[in-house]
Amino acid sequence: MAQAETRFLRALALTERAASPQSPRLLPLLDNLATLYRSQQREGQARPYAERAERLREAQPQPSAS
């Protein structure tokens, strides 16, 4: 599991540099990190990633209902 954590963190850093810290492309990485930490009962480490993902989701434009 340590390898997964290292890879997710590296992918997150690379994606932040390539896209932006507010890019929706970060959502799967943030969600996966939060899930990984929760699976290891590391809620304190999961929470910032889950909260950041939620803020990104809230910032995304909602499709219009037409």
Side-chain angles (χ1 to χ4, degrees):
M1 294 248 191
Q3 248 185 357
E5 178 182 11
T6 300
R7 289 180 181 179
F8 281 135
L9 290 170
R10 184 162 186 256
L12 180 63
L14 291 170
T15 305
E16 286 174 327
R17 279 199 309 255
S20 87
Q22 291 79 34
S23 173
R25 291 174 48 196
L26 298 172
L27 286 169
L29 297 166
L30 295 167
D31 288 336
N32 287 335
L33 269 166
T35 299
L36 175 68
Y37 288 136
R38 285 183 176 131
S39 75
Q40 298 171 344
Q41 287 74 48
R42 295 163 62 185
E43 182 60 35
Q45 288 177 284
R47 187 173 298 114
Y49 295 105
E51 289 172 353
R52 185 172 168 199
E54 184 58 32
R55 286 192 302 273
L56 282 175
R57 282 188 184 87
E58 290 171 354
Q60 297 306 303
Q62 299 299 313
S64 60
S66 39

